[in-house]
Amino acid sequence: MYTTASSEPLAKKCSTWGYRRWRYIAAVAAVSLGLGAYTICHYDTAYLVATSMYRSSVAANATFKVAWDYYCNFPDLPDEEDESISPEERQRILEARSAVHLRAAEVVKQALMKNGGVYIKLGQHISAMQYVLPAEWCAVMQALQDKNTASSVEELDMVIQTDLGKSISELFSEFDPEPIGVASLAQVHRAVLRSNGQEVAVKVQHPMVRTYSDIDIATMSVMFEFVHSVFPEFQFMWLGSEMRESLPRELDFNTDKKNAEQVEWDFSTHPDIPLTVPRMLQATDRVLIMEFVHGQRCDDLSYLRNHGISPAAVSREIGRVFAEMIFVHGFLHCDPHPGNLFVRPRDPAKTSHGYNFDLVLLDHGLYRRLPARLRHEYAEMWRALMRGDKEQIAYWSRKLSGTDLYHLFSTILTGQTWETIESKSLTATSGPAQLDFSSMRAKEPDLMRQITDVLASVSSELRLVLKTNDLLRMIDQKLFVDQPPRVQQHAQMLSWLRMSHYCLMAIRDARALDISHDQSRRAGVLQTTSRVTRLLANWLSFWFHDSALSIYSAMLRLSMAST
């Protein structure tokens, strides 16, 4: 056997390498066994961590893809006055921008659908932001209104047993396995109570929504911050904070029950308004049992026609309900899409309001208390808009939005062009607002930044009021889509007059409160007489202007009835 001088060190080196190799394998095996043992003993925690990481990675991947696509492929919009750009080249640029918008929206939509839950809710919120986002984004996200995945009856049974201590079969003699509606956070089923045979609607939260909600919202906030760092003009961080504030309330169905009962109380003194709120029977964090009310979506025109219900009357009464909420009660339902507003046919002879329908208000998770000061300033702003008073519009716009962009703020509020407002023609507009924000953005490249500046500077309550206005305008557009122009014009004018009535009420009440506070610490006959005189003058001013509105409204209705 031959040896060399280097054979011993080589053998020693191989031995050391082998020792290290086996030590590495042993360490990997120990860690793997440890992780395996932890996963077996704490399966739920390990699964939650892994799933949360996966959901976050889906969101991050979509965000990076979209940011990169915009960074590399989104051409700047040339100035309208730049004569060096031919019409063909300008059109090519517009088509390239539209293609990027479509690609980006589709990438985000697929990610939202893959994660579901809170992400679907974000997409639905985006679909309603027509005055902020490109039309391509809103159109793509509109598909998410009907893309919610239903939980199985077995999954719902587990939630019901956990929250109520009884199974579906123990609580209900009937339980329709097909949901009436499926939303991003919950779904609703028709059922019959075993205890008394009452027909009910059962709203049950999707099992894992609450589990992932915190990490999902945190992920969204991080993604918004990242996009803002790449595109400084992106000012939508408030979306994350808004969802952080709203979601915990929407995930607690006890809040649904309390809100519904509050609205029922608010309108109990208005038997002339055809509003119905389903009676809430029982609520836990994740299960809500309520009275079942038959009806159909308020924008289902064929259903309205088949039951002889006037779309104009439905629009008018929806407007009354939400004007009461904003200007009088200060307690606002902030999600009035057609799926949450049903119409139920009625015999007018058996109602206190005299209409042949009831409006059924559903889904009471998202409400906001509107401060008295906000309601007063909002009313003053609308009154200035109705009169086309430029100075007052600028003043109250600055109060509400904190910016000098009163032209834009007025357009967002009314859905009408500044030219229409400035010419004092707001009350003579021919139909529901249908502003083309896409064409406005094409003419004004800086428009999106200005809009985001306005939305970032207003209060969270006012943002939700603006969102509510947009949803109501979308309902109006659907209700009047097949109506002749004359009917549309009359209905729109009556809508503006109704708004004026509620603005006058809010201003009257705010001024009366100021007069009372101003004199509250003063005593004596002169001070009391002064206070009473000012209060009387305030009331007479309201009565004079409101009477004129009532007479004009009556004349419009007579004119409408005669045609």
Side-chain angles (χ1 to χ4, degrees):
M1 180 177 180
Y2 295 92
T3 62
T4 64
S6 61
S7 62
E8 187 175 346
L10 181 61
K12 185 176 181 181
K13 182 177 179 181
C14 291
S15 175
T16 302
W17 180 85
Y19 171 73
R20 289 176 178 171
R21 177 171 176 267
W22 284 110
R23 188 173 64 176
Y24 173 76
I25 292 173
V28 170
V31 171
S32 300
L33 287 171
L35 288 173
Y38 180 84
T39 302
I40 293 170
C41 296
H42 304 275
Y43 173 79
D44 289 343
T45 304
Y47 178 79
L48 175 62
V49 170
T51 308
S52 297
M53 290 176 65
Y54 170 76
R55 293 166 69 82
S56 299
S57 69
V58 169
N61 182 51
T63 303
F64 291 140
K65 279 184 177 179
V66 168
W68 183 253
D69 198 4
Y70 273 105
Y71 184 77
C72 295
N73 303 313
F74 195 65
D76 291 332
L77 192 64
D79 195 304
E80 284 285 331
E81 299 178 357
D82 188 351
E83 297 180 357
S84 65
I85 304 294
S86 66
E88 293 77 14
E89 178 65 13
R90 187 180 300 277
Q91 183 61 31
R92 189 192 65 77
I93 291 172
L94 291 174
E95 289 173 359
R97 289 167 65 92
S98 179
V100 175
H101 286 322
L102 280 172
R103 282 200 306 271
E106 191 61 38
V107 168
V108 171
K109 186 190 81 171
Q110 293 301 324
L112 299 181
M113 290 175 62
K114 189 175 290 187
N115 280 345
V118 176
Y119 288 91
I120 294 287
K121 195 160 192 69
L122 174 64
Q124 292 170 345
H125 192 77
I126 289 173
S127 71
M129 299 173 68
Q130 297 180 4
Y131 53 83
V132 178
L133 297 174
E136 294 87 350
W137 275 84
C138 296
V140 170
M141 293 300 164
Q142 195 66 38
L144 294 178
Q145 297 290 349
D146 302 312
K147 291 292 185 182
N148 298 294
T149 303
S151 298
S152 67
V153 174
E154 291 74 23
E155 290 174 319
L156 301 183
D157 196 24
M158 290 177 62
V159 173
I160 290 172
Q161 286 194 59
T162 302
D163 279 37
L164 296 176
K166 291 183 179 181
S167 66
I168 288 176
S169 59
E170 290 175 302
L171 288 168
F172 308 106
S173 57
E174 294 179 31
F175 189 90
D176 191 342
E178 286 297 318
I180 301 167
V182 182
S184 55
L185 304 183
Q187 61 194 61
V188 180
H189 291 255
R190 177 198 162 275
V192 176
L193 288 175
R194 188 173 291 280
S195 58
N196 59 9
Q198 181 180 356
E199 187 179 24
V200 294
V202 185
K203 180 179 178 181
V204 187
Q205 197 173 111
H206 297 306
M208 299 305 292
V209 167
R210 185 185 294 263
T211 305
Y212 295 128
S213 61
D214 289 341
I215 187 67
D216 286 346
I217 292 172
T219 301
M220 288 178 196
S221 298
V222 171
M223 295 302 103
F224 288 150
E225 290 288 351
F226 168 76
V227 175
H228 176 59
S229 67
V230 178
F231 304 104
E233 67 272 16
F234 182 91
Q235 296 284 349
F236 291 103
M237 283 76 72
W238 52 265
L239 264 176
S241 60
E242 198 167 281
M243 293 193 74
R244 254 195 313 275
E245 182 180 357
S246 300
L247 199 61
R249 303 179 191 181
E250 293 188 75
L251 289 174
D252 183 358
F253 290 173
N254 291 294
T255 303
D256 265 65
K257 184 173 183 290
K258 292 175 184 175
N259 290 343
E261 290 168 348
Q262 180 64 55
V263 171
E264 191 173 18
W265 171 259
D266 287 344
F267 284 88
S268 61
T269 56
H270 293 281
D272 58 318
I273 296 179
L275 180 69
T276 292
V277 177
R279 189 160 53 92
M280 302 292 143
L281 304 177
Q282 187 177 4
T284 67
D285 287 356
R286 299 185 296 167
V287 181
L288 179 63
I289 302 174
M290 71 195 93
E291 168 193 12
F292 189 92
V293 180
H294 293 268
Q296 191 56 268
R297 287 167 56 118
C298 66
D299 63 343
D300 189 335
L301 294 178
S302 61
Y303 181 84
L304 298 182
R305 279 193 292 267
N306 291 339
H307 290 86
I309 298 171
S310 164
V314 171
S315 168
R316 182 171 63 250
E317 293 310 306
I318 289 174
R320 275 183 77 196
V321 167
F322 282 88
E324 283 279 340
M325 288 182 173
I326 292 172
F327 294 108
V328 181
H329 306 146
F331 189 58
L332 178 63
H333 186 302
C334 298
D335 197 19
H337 61 76
N340 287 339
L341 272 168
F342 273 37
V343 171
R344 174 176 66 175
R346 293 292 304 276
D347 180 354
K350 297 180 180 179
T351 67
S352 59
H353 48 69
Y355 290 96
N356 65 342
F357 66 89
D358 282 334
L359 293 173
V360 183
L361 188 60
L362 304 171
D363 193 357
H364 301 274
L366 183 57
Y367 276 75
R368 275 295 183 279
R369 286 277 180 195
L370 306 181
R373 180 179 176 182
L374 171 63
R375 302 205 308 271
H376 173 221
E377 292 176 353
Y378 189 67
E380 292 279 14
M381 178 68 185
W382 268 105
R383 190 181 181 207
L385 289 166
M386 300 288 185
R387 295 183 298 173
D389 188 332
K390 185 175 177 180
E391 288 186 7
Q392 286 293 298
I393 290 171
Y395 176 80
W396 291 110
S397 175
R398 196 174 300 111
K399 281 273 191 181
L400 284 166
S401 70
T403 72
D404 292 320
L405 300 170
Y406 62 91
H407 288 199
L408 179 60
F409 187 58
S410 302
T411 298
I412 292 173
L413 263 183
T414 63
Q416 303 290 343
T417 64
W418 172 250
E419 289 73 20
T420 299
I421 298 166
E422 190 179 27
S423 63
K424 304 182 181 181
S425 304
L426 192 59
T427 55
T429 50
S430 60
Q434 294 184 336
L435 265 182
D436 185 358
F437 279 96
S438 296
S439 61
M440 288 173 65
R441 277 189 291 268
K443 294 177 182 177
E444 177 55 68
D446 202 35
L447 182 66
M448 184 173 176
R449 184 196 60 77
Q450 293 176 3
I451 293 175
T452 55
D453 283 349
V454 169
L455 292 178
S457 62
V458 301
S459 65
S460 60
E461 292 88 358
L462 184 54
R463 273 197 297 267
L464 285 171
V465 172
L466 296 175
K467 174 196 171 188
T468 301
N469 280 348
D470 287 340
L471 291 171
L472 294 176
R473 275 200 287 264
M474 288 169 67
I475 290 175
D476 265 0
Q477 289 172 15
K478 293 177 181 178
L479 286 172
F480 287 100
V481 69
D482 61 352
Q483 297 294 310
R486 184 171 176 78
V487 172
Q488 291 192 34
Q489 184 176 20
H490 276 86
Q492 187 63 57
M493 290 174 73
L494 286 171
S495 174
W496 294 127
L497 292 171
R498 181 186 59 248
M499 177 73 78
S500 297
H501 164 73
Y502 280 102
C503 288
L504 287 172
M505 285 178 59
I507 293 167
R508 176 201 65 189
D509 293 344
R511 289 178 180 173
L513 194 62
D514 286 343
I515 292 168
S516 299
H517 285 173
D518 186 42
Q519 302 285 343
S520 60
R521 295 185 180 180
R522 300 180 186 181
V525 176
L526 289 176
Q527 287 80 7
T528 302
T529 303
S530 173
R531 180 167 66 251
V532 170
T533 303
R534 292 171 65 192
L535 286 170
L536 181 61
N538 180 50
W539 188 88
L540 286 173
S541 175
F542 163 76
W543 179 84
F544 176 78
H545 289 96
D546 197 51
S547 296
L549 288 176
S550 298
I551 293 169
Y552 188 42
S553 297
M555 291 172 62
L556 273 177
R557 287 194 177 93
L558 284 173
S559 172
M560 212 170 165
S562 64
T563 57

